[in-house]
Amino acid sequence: MVAEKTKRTIPLLPLRGLLVFPSMVLHLDVGRAKSVQALEFAMNEDEEILLSTQKEISIDEPTNDEIYSVGTLAKIKQLLKLPNGTVRIHVEGLHRARIEEYLDNADFLEVEMTELSNEQTDRTAETQAIMRNLLEMFEQYTKVSKKVSAETLATVSDISEPSRFADVLASNLPLKLAEKQELLEMNNVVERLLHLIEILNNEQEVLGLEKKIGQRVKKSMEKTQKEYYLREQMKAIQKELGDREGRTGEVASLKEKIEEATMPKSVEEKALKELDRYEKMPANSAESSVLRNYIEWLVQLPWTNETEDQLDVNRAEDILNEDHYGLEKVKERVLEYLAVQQLTNELKGPILCLSGPPGVGKTSLARSIARSLNRNFVRISLGGVRDEAEIRGHRRTYVGAMPGRMIQGMKKAGSINPVFLLDEIDKMANDFRGDPSSALLEVLDPEQNHTFSDHYIEEPYDLSKVMFVTTANNIATIPGPLRDRMEMIHIAGYTEVEKMQIAKNYLLPKQMKDHGLSKSMIQVKDEAIQKVIRYYTREAGVRNLERQLATLCRKAAKMIVTGTKKRVILTQKTAEEMLGKPRFRYGIAEVEDQVGAATGLAYTSAGGDTLSIEVSLSPGKGKLTLTGKLGDVMKESAQAAFSYIRARSKELNIDADFHEKNDIHIHVPEGATPKDGPSAGITMATALISALTGRVVKKEVGMTGEITLRGRVLPIGGLKEKSMSAHRAGLKTIIIPKDNEKDLEDVPESVRQDLNYILVGHLDEVLKHALGEKK
């Protein structure tokens, strides 16, 4: 049992972050007022004071519960007051003591304590064995840790008394405050010694791990220092060679980018090989910048980055309808692609060619396709491109070499599956620098474009996931092999009804927004839009219509700003006041039946148009004159019609030798406009026969068809556009070749209902419906 002495009253000095064992001698600095008063009281009495550690270091005035109940009774050897107000004391630990009760003292902490004596302090054989084992472990610890001096080890070795041995040993170990307090509270010496063995065992394990980690860190540091030293040497060498800044960091950055670019293995190997060359090359050499540019192009290209398609057909249809009115065939084709993609998820990107007159929305439709698929969009214009290197790029041996437009577009897109618009593909040309249309063959061939080769990149690039959309006004100028690789979708011009809807729902709201007009400021009547369409524009698309609407908005904005009007209402009358006199005549059919004048239907790059053909006879020797800037094919059509009439003069009731007595002049008005094509054949023949027989051509009849020498009527193209021009001109009857019956379904219902179509296979049928009585 613990032998306890009687209670005694003694001042208490709470210690912060420090614990004193019996037999320890040390210096303490004391600054708290109550602690200083406790020291002064102790010095006046028996120079003894109780040292006990407080549980929390940060507390300035600890309560009774915040101080450990077991502490050390100490003797104050020396006390020295310092100039800054603190007191330095020299103390020696005497015995363990327990606080029994705190006394009521306002000046300093005063307690009743009981001294604790150690159990089993005799040197038994067991105690000696434990001490010897502990000393040996302490020696090993001092060798490994190097934190304990040889003098301390010698001092500990000389102690024979077990309790003192344990306390001195504990005071020299780097233990936490709680662990030291645990040792202080142990009265049983054997128990204390065994606990110290356990602590030293743990410390040795930790020191062993620290040593291993230290060796590993040392090796790593040595390697790092070696690399650093070599890099510094390399920098110095490069500096001497002319590389002022050194490229080590730059090369490391490029290497990291190459690894992050997820290139195909062959391309990555090529990039790393070129990077190695770049690293070894002097910075001031010409090829250095070429290599760097090449590596940067390889890194910036999307090799595997792919956007996820929005495979919702209904959503895509809503977007396409929101952006464009009509254009059903194109929308249907895009939705078909989406549907197949949803089922297979492996379909190669289609290659569509949107052909049609200017202003019908080909380019903007490509943007809508990209939006409906949720793909990135990139556009390049091929108008005027005449160099093959524009498509395939230049070899790196040339100064200022760059990749071609395809690779540049892919870099701009940032994904491997964008919608890629090749605008104006029919406007390309070729000269001594090569044929760019031939270079496009590989790009637009689904069987080849998964390994597209650019002269600059040199490595195969996959274009098979790209959805190519091309646009053209005239597909006849696109080379045959290139045209064969594309899926043609023809976009015809708009009817008046469609133009009205487009103007109301798309163009006018856009122009009002652009000009800062709200619905409360301007109201546009339908009759005003109709007048603009009929009398101020003549086009297949809506580009000029948008310009005229912009003019109306500008003038309305001026009126509102100047205070002339608070609200502008646009009617037919106000539209004419703003836009001036009508520029075109609506309904240009002949006012009355004419002799020698027939109305033909033409297909132009701006859509359809009506063509008046006039024939004049004058006394002469049979000379045939053709005027109106006609092309070779059109002249030959006139010759064929003339030959047919000569061969059938008897059946047509025409003087057999008319060609010997009369000079014939065929003229097509609007002489400055080039005209060509065979489809005016029956129109020329009808006008000639009318002039020779004196029979009138019915004013409400328009016609189109190619004629043969035997009088057969051959099919023509562009029936939809020609029908719309006839409808616009106010014609009631159209004579068309019988073989064009299949094309009638392309004509809008609103146009088809207003026109009477007559299908013919021979010129005799044409004359039957087109000619009237003699005038």
Side-chain angles (χ1 to χ4, degrees):
M1 294 295 294
V2 179
E4 295 187 356
K5 294 183 181 179
T6 55
K7 290 181 183 179
R8 53 182 286 208
T9 303
I10 196 165
L12 171 69
L13 177 63
L15 302 179
R16 285 202 283 192
L18 182 69
L19 187 142
V20 177
F21 283 99
S23 306
M24 273 182 71
V25 178
L26 74 164
H27 287 89
L28 297 174
D29 283 349
V30 180
R32 288 184 282 194
K34 280 189 175 183
S35 299
V36 171
Q37 287 190 10
L39 287 170
E40 288 176 350
F41 180 81
M43 288 300 288
N44 292 331
E45 295 294 322
D46 53 3
E47 298 180 347
E48 288 184 351
I49 193 166
L50 181 63
L51 305 176
S52 186
T53 307
Q54 63 185 58
K55 294 174 184 178
E56 288 292 332
I57 299 174
S58 57
I59 298 169
D60 280 335
E61 294 187 10
T63 60
N64 303 348
D65 295 335
E66 290 166 344
I67 300 171
Y68 285 114
S69 60
V70 176
T72 303
L73 180 66
K75 180 80 172 176
I76 303 171
K77 296 275 190 179
Q78 189 179 359
L79 185 144
L80 178 66
K81 289 187 179 180
L82 300 176
N84 60 2
T86 59
V87 174
R88 180 166 294 170
I89 56 171
H90 185 210
V91 293
E92 180 186 3
L94 300 175
H95 305 287
R96 285 170 170 74
R98 182 187 289 117
I99 299 170
E100 299 294 343
E101 188 183 351
Y102 283 86
L103 303 177
D104 189 14
N105 189 332
D107 297 329
F108 55 87
L109 291 174
E110 193 175 15
V111 295
E112 271 193 1
M113 67 147 203
T114 308
E115 284 186 32
L116 302 175
S117 59
N118 296 308
E119 294 180 1
Q120 297 180 4
T121 55
D122 299 335
R123 284 174 61 91
T124 62
E126 183 190 3
T127 311
Q128 284 182 331
I130 293 170
M131 287 173 67
R132 194 174 294 171
N133 188 10
L134 193 55
L135 185 61
E136 190 178 329
M137 290 176 72
F138 188 63
E139 283 178 4
Q140 289 174 0
Y141 169 77
T142 54
K143 286 176 185 175
V144 177
S145 74
K146 296 180 181 176
K147 292 178 182 176
V148 182
S149 64
E151 291 81 4
T152 305
L153 180 61
T155 305
V156 173
S157 303
D158 290 342
I159 300 171
S160 58
E161 199 269 311
S163 177
R164 188 161 176 267
F165 176 81
D167 288 341
V168 173
L169 195 65
S171 65
N172 284 289
L173 289 176
L175 304 177
K176 292 180 180 176
L177 209 60
E179 291 174 332
K180 287 185 176 181
Q181 182 66 32
E182 189 181 352
L183 284 166
L184 186 68
E185 291 179 5
M186 287 182 182
N187 289 326
N188 191 304
V189 178
V190 175
E191 187 183 336
R192 205 184 311 159
L193 290 170
L194 290 172
H195 189 65
L196 280 168
I197 287 175
E198 188 182 334
I199 289 171
L200 272 172
N201 259 327
N202 290 337
E203 280 295 317
Q204 282 182 336
E205 279 183 25
V206 172
L207 285 171
L209 284 172
E210 279 183 0
K211 191 176 180 183
K212 280 184 184 177
I213 293 166
Q215 287 172 345
R216 204 178 302 154
V217 170
K218 187 181 177 185
K219 282 181 185 175
S220 174
M221 282 180 68
E222 284 174 357
K223 185 182 176 184
T224 308
Q225 284 171 343
K226 181 183 175 184
E227 286 178 1
Y228 175 76
Y229 178 68
L230 289 172
R231 281 201 186 96
E232 288 300 313
Q233 277 190 322
M234 191 185 289
K235 282 181 184 177
I237 293 165
Q238 286 173 339
K239 196 171 182 180
E240 286 299 315
L241 289 172
D243 184 1
R244 295 297 171 198
E245 295 175 2
R247 286 186 290 178
T248 311
E250 185 184 13
V251 168
S253 173
L254 283 172
K255 189 172 183 180
E256 189 179 331
K257 285 179 182 176
I258 290 169
E259 288 166 357
E260 290 172 357
T262 59
M263 305 173 183
K265 193 174 180 182
S266 59
V267 182
E268 188 173 338
E269 286 173 0
K270 176 79 178 286
L272 291 171
K273 184 180 175 185
E274 294 296 331
L275 182 65
D276 190 45
R277 282 182 61 206
Y278 172 70
E279 189 175 9
K280 294 171 184 175
M281 196 172 288
N284 56 358
S285 72
E287 201 176 347
S288 176
S289 60
V290 173
L291 275 175
R292 181 188 167 83
N293 285 342
Y294 176 68
I295 294 164
E296 284 185 340
W297 268 104
L298 288 180
V299 164
Q300 290 167 359
L301 279 177
W303 294 96
T304 54
N305 184 31
E306 189 173 345
T307 55
E308 188 176 346
D309 285 352
Q310 280 274 6
L311 299 177
D312 185 344
V313 177
N314 295 324
R315 174 184 169 276
E317 188 174 11
D318 290 343
I319 288 173
L320 291 171
N321 288 332
E322 181 187 324
D323 292 349
H324 292 86
Y325 182 84
L327 309 178
E328 303 304 332
K329 279 188 179 178
V330 199
K331 292 176 181 176
E332 187 66 25
R333 180 64 186 86
V334 175
L335 298 177
E336 286 168 6
Y337 167 73
L338 264 178
V340 177
Q341 184 85 328
Q342 193 168 339
L343 291 175
T344 64
N345 209 24
E346 290 181 354
L347 188 67
K348 290 181 179 178
I351 294 155
L352 308 177
C353 180
L354 308 178
S355 66
V360 292
K362 299 185 295 296
T363 303
S364 62
L365 186 63
R367 291 184 188 276
S368 292
I369 290 170
R371 194 160 78 91
S372 65
L373 294 171
N374 195 35
R375 290 190 178 190
N376 295 334
F377 176 77
V378 63
R379 171 190 169 273
I380 64 169
S381 177
L382 297 175
V385 171
R386 53 177 61 241
D387 188 354
E388 179 252 357
E390 290 268 359
I391 308 298
R392 284 189 180 278
H394 300 83
R395 297 204 177 277
R396 281 189 285 151
T397 49
Y398 295 105
V399 176
M402 283 185 71
R405 293 199 184 191
M406 305 309 303
I407 294 294
Q408 289 181 36
M410 293 306 293
K411 176 192 167 187
K412 185 179 176 184
S415 63
I416 203 167
N417 64 334
V419 172
F420 204 127
L421 175 63
L422 302 171
D423 221 354
E424 311 288 0
I425 200 169
D426 59 327
K427 307 290 191 303
M428 282 189 298
N430 60 330
D431 62 5
F432 64 92
R433 285 168 289 197
D435 184 1
S437 62
S438 300
L440 273 177
L441 294 177
E442 185 186 7
V443 175
L444 299 181
D445 190 341
E447 300 302 318
Q448 298 180 47
N449 63 10
H450 62 283
T451 55
F452 171 68
S453 176
D454 184 273
H455 289 154
Y456 184 86
I457 299 297
E458 293 177 348
E459 295 296 320
Y461 190 81
D462 185 6
L463 294 174
S464 63
K465 293 184 180 179
V466 178
M467 184 175 186
F468 285 104
V469 180
T470 66
T471 68
N473 296 132
N474 183 10
I475 60 173
T477 59
I478 304 173
L482 188 57
R483 194 164 62 240
D484 182 56
R485 283 163 168 78
M486 298 184 286
E487 184 180 336
M488 293 291 169
I489 298 178
H490 184 67
I491 303 175
Y494 296 113
T495 64
E496 187 177 294
V497 176
E498 288 174 331
K499 284 184 180 179
M500 176 68 79
Q501 292 299 323
I502 292 166
K504 283 169 64 178
N505 300 328
Y506 299 90
L507 305 181
L508 192 58
K510 177 175 177 278
Q511 291 302 325
M512 285 170 63
K513 184 182 176 184
D514 290 349
H515 290 84
L517 297 170
S518 63
K519 288 183 180 179
S520 60
M521 295 178 183
I522 185 170
Q523 181 187 350
V524 183
K525 301 276 188 184
D526 288 357
E527 61 184 50
I529 298 174
Q530 190 177 54
K531 178 149 188 173
V532 173
I533 293 168
R534 288 181 173 179
Y535 296 100
Y536 293 92
T537 62
R538 181 163 293 167
E539 57 178 346
V542 290
R543 200 168 278 153
N544 283 324
L545 175 58
E546 186 172 13
R547 288 195 190 104
Q548 297 299 336
L549 293 175
T551 303
L552 291 174
C553 289
R554 281 199 308 274
K555 293 186 180 295
K558 184 188 172 189
M559 287 179 181
I560 291 166
V561 170
T562 54
T564 310
K565 288 185 178 179
K566 290 184 178 179
R567 188 166 189 262
V568 178
I569 299 173
L570 287 176
T571 61
Q572 282 189 350
K573 187 179 177 183
T574 52
E576 187 171 333
E577 287 172 2
M578 289 181 176
L579 297 176
K581 294 295 178 185
R583 298 181 187 179
F584 302 101
R585 184 159 62 94
Y586 179 75
I588 54 173
E590 296 294 339
V591 179
E592 58 183 22
D593 297 345
Q594 297 279 342
V595 175
T599 304
L601 303 174
Y603 176 66
T604 67
S605 61
D609 205 354
T610 53
L611 206 63
S612 179
I613 295 178
E614 300 171 346
V615 176
S616 171
L617 298 178
S618 57
K621 297 179 180 179
K623 183 183 177 185
L624 180 63
T625 306
L626 301 168
T627 57
K629 205 169 185 183
L630 309 182
D632 290 341
V633 177
M634 205 163 181
K635 287 177 182 176
E636 288 166 2
S637 290
Q639 292 285 354
F642 184 65
S643 298
Y644 170 76
I645 293 167
R646 282 183 62 185
R648 295 287 305 275
S649 58
K650 188 176 179 181
E651 290 86 342
L652 295 169
N653 294 322
I654 298 172
D655 189 359
D657 56 355
F658 75 91
H659 60 284
E660 294 177 356
K661 298 176 183 179
N662 299 297
D663 284 343
I664 299 171
H665 185 172
I666 300 176
H667 176 67
V668 184
E670 297 190 27
T673 308
K675 308 165 193 76
D676 202 3
S679 64
I682 65 170
T683 316
M684 287 182 172
T686 303
L688 260 170
I689 293 167
S690 169
L692 291 167
T693 60
R695 292 173 66 185
V696 294
V697 180
K698 296 174 182 175
K699 62 184 179 185
E700 74 276 2
V701 175
M703 61 194 78
T704 179
E706 183 179 351
I707 191 173
T708 69
L709 287 174
R710 291 174 293 163
R712 286 182 58 225
V713 180
L714 300 181
I716 46 84
L719 181 63
K720 179 184 176 183
E721 288 80 2
K722 290 177 178 179
S723 299
M724 285 159 62
S725 69
H727 182 259
R728 186 171 66 236
L731 300 175
K732 300 297 180 189
T733 302
I734 299 183
I735 298 171
I736 64 170
K738 192 175 287 182
D739 291 342
N740 282 111
E741 185 177 4
K742 64 184 185 301
D743 299 319
L744 283 172
E745 63 183 36
D746 293 336
V747 180
E749 184 69 28
S750 59
V751 174
R752 208 161 58 228
Q753 286 177 351
D754 289 349
L755 294 174
N756 177 30
Y757 287 91
I758 297 172
L759 304 171
V760 298
H762 195 274
L763 188 61
D764 291 347
E765 298 172 64
V766 177
L767 300 176
K768 180 182 172 184
H769 292 97
L771 296 180
E773 299 299 321
K774 279 192 177 185
K775 191 171 183 180

